[in-house]
Amino acid sequence: MGYRRALLTRWSRRDKLAVVVIAVTVGFLTGTTLVVTAVSTQTTTIAEEYNTDGTAVYYESVTTARQNAGETSLVVPIAEVTLPNGDTRYVAGVSNQGGQVFKTRPEGSIPRPPESGVTSGTRSKSGSIRLSGQNTQLTVDVTPRPSNHQLVPSEWFVAQPDLVTRLGTSGAFVITPPSEQSATGIPDRGVTLRSALAFFLTGTRQLLTVLAVTAIGGATLVGVTVYSVTKMTVRDRLQAIRVLRSTGCRPLTVLQLFALRAGILTSVGIGVGYTIGVILPHLAVNVAVFAGLPTSLTVHVSHLVLRVLLPVYGGTVLVGLGAGVVAAWPTVSAPPSRLSGSFARKRPSQTEKVGVLRRLLSLRLLDWRALGPSTATLTVFVTVVLLVTSIGGVMTPLMTAEGTTITEPGAKHPVASNVPAQYADALRAQGTPASAEILLFTVRDGRPVVARGANYSTFAAVTNATIERGRRPNDSSEAVVGVDLARTTDIEISDQITLGGSTKSRIARVRVVGTYSAPGLYDDQLLVSLPVGRHLTGKSNNSVHIIRTPKQFDRTTSANGIEIIDVAEPSRVTANSNVSVEVFLRNFGSETRTRDVSVQFGNASKTVSMTLDPNAQRSETVRLQVSQPGNATLRVGEHTQEIVVMPENAIQVRGLPIEAPPNSEPRIIVSTMDGDPIANATVRVTNTTVRTGQNGTVRLPLDSTGSHTVHVAARNRSLSKMVRVTQSARRTLMGGVQIRPTNPSLLSQTAAHVRLYNPWNQTLSRHVRLSGSVGNEGRTVSVAAGETTTTMYNIGRQAPGSYSVTLMSDGRRLATTSYSVSGNDRLVAAYANSGNSGGKTGIARALNTAFGNLQVLLAVLVTLAGTMTVGSTTAVFAQAVHARRQAVGVYRATGASPMRVLRLIVADALTVGLVAVGSALILGFVGMSLLSVLDYLVVYGVRITPTLSPTVVLGSLVGGLTIILLSAVFVAGSLIVRQPTTLVRNDAVSNRSHTMMPDGGSDE
């Protein structure tokens, strides 16, 4: 066998061990790459519908903006103005022509300016306002702006550019449509109008950067492993190399042979490692699915994976080749005659003084040449420990919140959740801190930024945030920035920050007034006001993504998962009649459930059984009868209500106006308290008596002016009402307001049912307005003579408290009603626990939704990382022990037992390991700190700050020494089981069997 072929193909057990170590290392890198790219693909797919939709860049001057604008870009000059109340607002200048040229999606269209004055998205009617700009003060007309033009915040004014110039421009936006964007659509300066997709793309770039750092560590381990094994091969063949060198073999040939041998070892390891790295993540996913763990991650080899892995594999092969050259270099850097002593161990002379420290660090069998390689491998191990613990310190408050995060039941992820902000008010009313928040994913100057819309006071109460510099925000246009985000993005106090929309095409601008610190990644965020957050996400005024509270709700509070959320009952009933009580229930559980509901009214009671599907809501009407007039108590679960029971023959009159013009005949209705019409009832006013028809109605003649008493008699009952007849009276509609349900809770979709009745003998068209808790809604209604119409006004969910609504018609009050919204943390707890874990935060659910169950895959990767470190360290100590095999043989030959030799090797290994771990801690922490300073440890805008806590130091020390111990025991065990005679043979004898001749012969 030729010496070239023998050197390249004859592999010992340690060479095969080296292949295994390289395979495990490459498997770790391959598996990590597969997971990272799968995460990238999955998140990008989820956010694909939210493309960038154009970009916006803010310039400090209009001139600079116009110089940088493209052909179809829109230049929007901005004036910063002060309102009479001291608030600061912006006036955006949009030309009619520019607004028509630039077109975005419908939800983010550019608002067109008025010919004069300004428009505002917060005004409901026209008026005027005084604006104080940098150049002058102007009183301008204000007109309402439609809600479908919301690219700019509704609080901003929009005007013609010349008006902005008169006020004094402070800068200008250049808004560029998608057609002129870069290939990625993500500008290096400015913001994307819709940033969800851009956020995940830029975040994935940062994630790949961390992967590159991991690849460098893995390549280091490969280099150390290949170097150690090749070094042992060089030592085994030292005599053969001397013969080859002495007989004319060139040094370059020797280096090429050992480099090629190392390259083959590395290449085979890469091939096996690729297989391991592909199989294990797939296996982990299959095991997770079989175990019932939620995972939606799809792991496969894609073009993106190959684009990442091929350079890593190529670099690893180069590292292996270099390690082979370095290991063989001592054999070509000295004359052949000196090769026999090139690896000799230098021992101190007997007369040399040995200090205490040196005695402590003295070795019996091994030498300190193992310190460098073992420090390198343990540095990678310590770096992984620091990286994992640092990520854990950042993610733990996010993934395992001590309190409860409330999201909408059934929402796939928090960004798709809609929760009424009033729920937070309800919790605070009960004394529980709660923060209503909106999650924002934005991109600023090409870097991902996590922003959060929230009230700072409530956010701080839940998160324990504290202001470090500056002050708290006092206005909707002010913001505070977390200390880590300020460091990552160089944001300073007084900076004005432009933000793009998250899932809608929007732009906003906020002023940073302070920095804050908070646990975990909460200080890696920009905290803006709720109005700004709602604008950037297109949320309604009473909606947020999540509500956070430090309180952990008891999941057992709900009876079988079903809660009574509302009860509707009449305020008055008639004795011996059926009372209809409507009970509203909701199943907050994840399974179909049944609950028995008991309804008690006075002495009567009834129990109904209701079955509801998961997250379903329905109502059931229960009818009871009470015979005795008076007051009776209705009880449904924890709900109680007093109801007036009228006598059985009680009557009522409806439709009688308070005022009426002379010679008019309003149509009145006489009925029982249950609404049944009463025929032949007597109605008398002054000297005129009329009787009701079969439908209980009659026209009441009102001739003369003055105040008149109307007497009504029927069923042995009578009542009287007053009516004033005057020339100034106008025919108006009669109206009433009923709140449904009558006893709403904080979970109710409350509505106001408005009943309008026209008692006159002509059709009436009137402008009707309902004001109060519904805002101020008005509409024009036409009601025919003697007819009734009912209109519903949606109020929605409200926080617990007392409310009132007033029905107005052409400036006259028709009716007023008051109601109370009930609620406690029991209902909020049921809502929060509906199908979710109360202790899991909203973002934790988002991560599980987007990436699957990462804990399973991360456990596999962490195991691979530990295994590759053990393997590399084993290779290092195999080389160190192999170099001292003759000394081991001497100990054995002179009577030392295998256990004593093992103890000596282990003691030396632990001594080396102690120094190596200490050095690795220092090098790992310094390296991590340097990477952090250079912004290589930023993922999705979150800075990973290395933390060297006592727990980390102790864990690294124990883990590193354990790795050293396992490696030393494994190598020493394989050595001491051999016969002493095979260990004490000198190098010449040991290598004689491997001597290879230059002509290709061998003495074997």
Side-chain angles (χ1 to χ4, degrees):
M1 179 185 292
Y3 72 92
R4 289 183 174 86
R5 181 180 177 186
L7 184 62
L8 296 178
T9 60
R10 293 180 64 179
W11 290 0
S12 64
R13 283 186 300 174
R14 59 177 173 268
D15 294 318
K16 298 173 183 177
L17 173 64
V19 171
V20 173
V21 173
I22 296 172
V24 173
T25 304
V26 173
F28 167 77
L29 297 176
T30 303
T32 303
T33 303
L34 283 172
V35 172
V36 169
T37 51
V39 168
S40 168
T41 303
Q42 184 113 334
T43 55
T44 303
T45 301
I46 291 174
E48 253 179 358
E49 60 179 302
Y50 304 119
N51 55 26
T52 56
D53 215 13
T55 60
V57 183
Y58 185 82
Y59 295 92
E60 298 298 330
S61 72
V62 178
T63 302
T64 305
R66 287 174 177 157
Q67 290 173 350
N68 289 274
E71 294 182 0
T72 60
S73 298
L74 177 63
V75 177
V76 181
I78 300 294
E80 188 173 349
V81 297
T82 304
L83 303 182
N85 62 0
D87 292 343
T88 300
R89 293 291 182 268
Y90 292 101
V91 182
V94 181
S95 64
N96 290 328
Q97 182 180 2
Q100 293 174 355
V101 170
F102 184 89
K103 294 183 179 179
T104 66
R105 292 176 180 260
E107 65 268 19
S109 59
I110 299 288
R112 297 187 62 180
E115 294 300 326
S116 62
V118 299
T119 64
S120 171
T122 60
R123 291 292 188 99
S124 59
K125 59 182 180 180
S126 300
S128 62
I129 192 171
R130 188 164 184 81
L131 305 177
S132 299
Q134 294 181 0
N135 294 344
T136 185
Q137 294 183 354
L138 295 175
T139 300
V140 297
D141 294 331
V142 184
T143 56
R145 185 167 66 241
S147 59
N148 60 338
H149 297 297
Q150 290 297 328
L151 181 69
V152 299
S154 57
E155 292 83 4
W156 287 19
F157 299 105
V158 175
Q160 294 286 346
D162 58 347
L163 179 60
V164 176
T165 303
R166 290 168 58 194
L167 289 168
T169 58
S170 55
F173 280 106
V174 174
I175 303 177
T176 304
S179 58
E180 287 194 19
Q181 291 178 202
S182 61
T184 61
I186 305 173
D188 294 331
R189 180 178 180 183
V191 300
T192 48
L193 297 183
R194 187 161 56 173
S195 304
L197 176 61
F199 174 87
F200 287 109
L201 289 176
T202 53
T204 300
R205 292 177 187 171
Q206 295 177 336
L207 197 60
L208 292 176
T209 301
V210 176
L211 177 61
V213 174
T214 306
I216 293 174
T220 302
L221 293 182
V222 170
V224 171
T225 302
V226 173
Y227 171 82
S228 301
V229 173
T230 307
K231 194 76 171 179
M232 287 185 282
T233 303
V234 170
R235 178 176 286 106
D236 286 343
R237 289 164 172 75
L238 191 59
Q239 185 68 19
I241 295 173
R242 185 171 65 175
V243 173
L244 291 174
R245 290 281 314 282
S246 300
T247 55
C249 183
R250 294 183 302 166
L252 180 61
T253 301
V254 175
L255 292 180
Q256 289 175 341
L257 286 173
F258 280 99
L260 184 58
R261 175 187 174 87
I264 293 175
L265 286 175
T266 305
S267 299
V268 173
I270 289 174
V272 177
Y274 171 81
T275 304
I276 295 174
V278 171
I279 291 176
L280 280 181
H282 283 89
L283 180 62
V285 171
N286 293 333
V287 170
V289 173
F290 179 78
L293 297 175
T295 177
S296 58
L297 202 63
T298 302
V299 181
H300 65 279
V301 179
S302 61
H303 293 293
L304 177 60
V305 172
L306 294 179
R307 286 200 301 268
V308 175
L309 286 180
L310 290 180
V312 171
Y313 293 161
T316 304
V317 171
L318 292 178
V319 169
L321 293 172
V325 171
V326 173
W329 180 257
T331 66
V332 300
S333 60
S337 60
R338 298 180 58 186
L339 290 183
S340 59
S342 61
F343 293 92
R345 177 186 178 189
K346 181 182 178 180
R347 296 182 175 273
S349 63
Q350 297 295 328
T351 58
E352 185 178 349
K353 293 184 179 180
V354 180
V356 176
L357 179 62
R358 192 159 189 172
R359 283 200 305 271
L360 293 175
L361 297 179
S362 62
L363 304 177
R364 300 290 298 275
L365 280 175
L366 304 182
D367 60 37
W368 286 101
R369 283 179 291 184
L371 178 62
S374 60
T375 299
T377 58
L378 289 175
T379 298
V380 176
F381 170 74
V382 170
T383 302
V384 171
V385 171
L386 285 172
L387 185 61
V388 170
T389 54
S390 299
I391 293 176
V394 170
M395 298 299 293
T396 296
L398 179 71
M399 297 293 292
T400 56
E402 294 181 355
T404 301
T405 298
I406 301 172
T407 58
E408 181 183 8
K412 293 182 178 179
H413 47 79
V415 178
S417 170
N418 283 286
V419 180
Q422 292 88 343
Y423 290 5
D425 299 334
L427 289 172
R428 288 193 294 270
Q430 299 290 328
T432 301
S435 178
E437 299 174 356
I438 295 175
L439 304 177
L440 303 169
F441 303 104
T442 65
V443 173
R444 177 177 177 268
D445 295 341
R447 291 189 288 189
V449 175
V450 179
R452 187 180 294 255
N455 177 280
Y456 177 79
S457 297
T458 59
F459 172 82
V462 172
T463 314
N464 296 323
T466 56
I467 293 293
E468 298 294 332
R469 296 173 53 237
R471 61 174 176 83
R472 296 185 174 198
N474 297 324
D475 186 74
S476 62
S477 62
E478 295 179 344
V480 288
V481 61
V483 290
D484 278 355
L485 181 62
R487 176 184 170 192
T488 302
T489 57
D490 299 323
I491 295 177
E492 298 287 345
I493 295 178
S494 299
D495 285 353
Q496 291 186 327
I497 306 299
T498 300
L499 298 174
S502 183
T503 55
K504 299 288 185 181
S505 296
R506 303 283 194 269
I507 56 173
R509 197 159 169 82
V510 296
R511 184 189 302 276
V512 178
V513 297
T515 61
Y516 71 92
S517 60
L521 54 68
Y522 289 115
D523 58 5
D524 286 275
Q525 302 177 11
L526 181 69
L527 199 67
V528 301
S529 65
L530 279 173
V532 172
R534 289 190 176 104
H535 166 70
L536 294 177
T537 55
K539 289 284 183 185
S540 61
N541 289 335
N542 65 343
S543 178
V544 293
H545 284 140
I546 61 175
I547 293 175
R548 293 190 303 119
T549 171
K551 179 176 180 179
Q552 182 68 60
F553 292 120
D554 184 5
R555 289 183 62 83
T556 64
T557 55
S558 179
N560 294 325
I562 296 179
E563 286 286 347
I564 300 172
I565 61 173
D566 291 313
V567 178
E569 75 280 337
S571 59
R572 295 186 305 173
V573 297
T574 304
N576 294 321
S577 65
N578 286 327
V579 180
S580 296
V581 180
E582 190 174 10
V583 183
F584 297 82
L585 291 93
R586 179 166 182 168
N587 182 5
F588 291 98
S590 58
E591 300 176 355
T592 300
R593 298 182 184 273
T594 301
R595 178 176 177 179
D596 294 333
V597 179
S598 177
V599 181
Q600 182 178 356
F601 184 39
N603 296 324
S605 64
K606 182 179 292 187
T607 300
V608 294
S609 181
M610 298 182 65
T611 301
L612 283 81
D613 293 331
N615 290 319
Q617 179 175 317
R618 56 171 286 201
S619 64
E620 183 79 10
T621 300
V622 180
R623 291 177 172 84
L624 298 172
Q625 190 176 70
V626 175
S627 58
Q628 297 298 324
N631 293 336
T633 302
L634 173 70
R635 291 185 176 86
V636 183
E638 296 182 353
H639 172 78
T640 60
Q641 181 67 42
E642 291 291 328
I643 298 178
V644 178
V645 182
M646 304 292 293
E648 186 176 359
N649 56 353
I651 63 174
Q652 63 178 341
V653 176
R654 293 174 293 158
L656 181 65
I658 298 175
E659 288 186 342
N663 300 316
S664 61
E665 292 184 337
R667 183 173 178 261
I668 64 173
I669 305 170
V670 181
S671 66
T672 66
M673 301 304 299
D674 296 330
D676 297 328
I678 300 176
N680 204 32
T682 300
V683 181
R684 179 169 54 86
V685 58
T686 60
N687 296 322
T688 304
T689 300
V690 293
R691 292 184 178 274
T692 60
Q694 291 298 321
N695 58 0
T697 65
V698 66
R699 290 285 180 182
L700 180 65
L702 298 174
D703 300 328
S704 60
T705 60
S707 296
H708 303 281
T709 301
V710 179
H711 299 278
V712 180
R715 306 176 70 186
N716 296 322
R717 304 288 295 183
S718 64
L719 59 82
S720 299
K721 286 194 172 186
M722 295 294 297
V723 60
R724 188 161 61 93
V725 181
T726 175
Q727 294 287 348
S728 61
R730 187 186 179 197
R731 288 177 172 85
T732 62
L733 296 173
M734 303 290 293
V737 180
Q738 184 181 22
I739 300 298
R740 296 288 296 173
T742 54
N743 296 285
S745 71
L746 78 166
L747 300 183
S748 300
Q749 289 288 352
T750 310
H753 293 255
V754 175
R755 182 177 178 274
L756 296 172
Y757 172 61
N758 180 8
W760 312 103
N761 55 4
Q762 62 186 54
T763 299
L764 295 182
S765 294
R766 297 288 185 265
H767 182 77
V768 178
R769 179 168 55 87
L770 192 64
S771 61
S773 57
V774 295
N776 196 342
E777 294 192 33
R779 61 189 69 172
T780 300
V781 179
S782 294
V783 184
E787 296 295 326
T788 301
T789 183
T790 302
T791 305
M792 185 179 70
Y793 293 79
N794 288 318
I795 299 176
R797 296 184 176 96
Q798 294 177 291
S802 298
Y803 301 89
S804 65
V805 290
T806 301
L807 179 64
M808 305 289 293
S809 175
D810 293 331
R812 294 173 178 266
R813 186 175 65 180
L814 300 184
T816 298
T817 187
S818 299
Y819 65 98
S820 296
V821 177
S822 63
N824 50 45
D825 58 2
R826 179 186 178 92
L827 288 181
V828 177
Y831 186 93
N833 291 332
S834 54
N836 308 321
S837 172
K840 184 174 288 187
T841 68
I843 293 182
R845 289 183 57 219
L847 293 177
N848 283 336
T849 301
F851 309 148
N853 196 313
L854 280 183
Q855 289 88 337
V856 178
L857 296 176
L858 290 178
V860 175
L861 298 182
V862 169
T863 302
L864 283 173
T867 304
M868 79 173 180
T869 305
V870 172
S872 300
T873 309
T874 301
V876 169
F877 277 91
Q879 189 270 337
V881 174
H882 183 268
R884 299 293 296 149
R885 68 188 184 280
Q886 284 187 323
V888 173
V890 171
Y891 269 89
R892 291 290 313 284
T894 56
S897 66
M899 289 305 300
R900 182 169 183 268
V901 174
L902 179 62
R903 286 196 299 269
L904 290 175
I905 293 176
V906 169
D908 286 354
L910 291 179
T911 302
V912 174
L914 188 62
V915 178
V917 171
S919 303
L921 277 170
I922 297 174
L923 293 175
F925 183 74
V926 171
M928 285 279 292
S929 300
L930 181 61
L931 292 173
S932 179
V933 169
L934 297 176
D935 290 342
Y936 285 111
L937 297 182
V938 179
V939 180
Y940 291 102
V942 177
R943 176 176 293 276
I944 302 173
T945 304
T947 304
L948 195 61
S949 64
T951 303
V952 173
V953 173
L954 181 62
S956 300
L957 183 62
V958 173
L961 292 179
T962 301
I963 291 174
I964 294 289
L965 180 62
L966 292 175
S967 303
V969 169
F970 177 76
V971 175
S974 64
L975 189 64
I976 61 178
V977 296
R978 298 169 61 183
Q979 294 297 323
T981 55
T982 63
L983 298 175
V984 298
R985 290 185 303 174
N986 57 36
D987 290 342
V989 174
S990 175
N991 283 281
R992 187 174 295 125
S993 63
H994 301 290
T995 301
M996 294 166 287
M997 306 305 296
D999 61 359
S1002 174
D1003 63 353
E1004 290 187 309

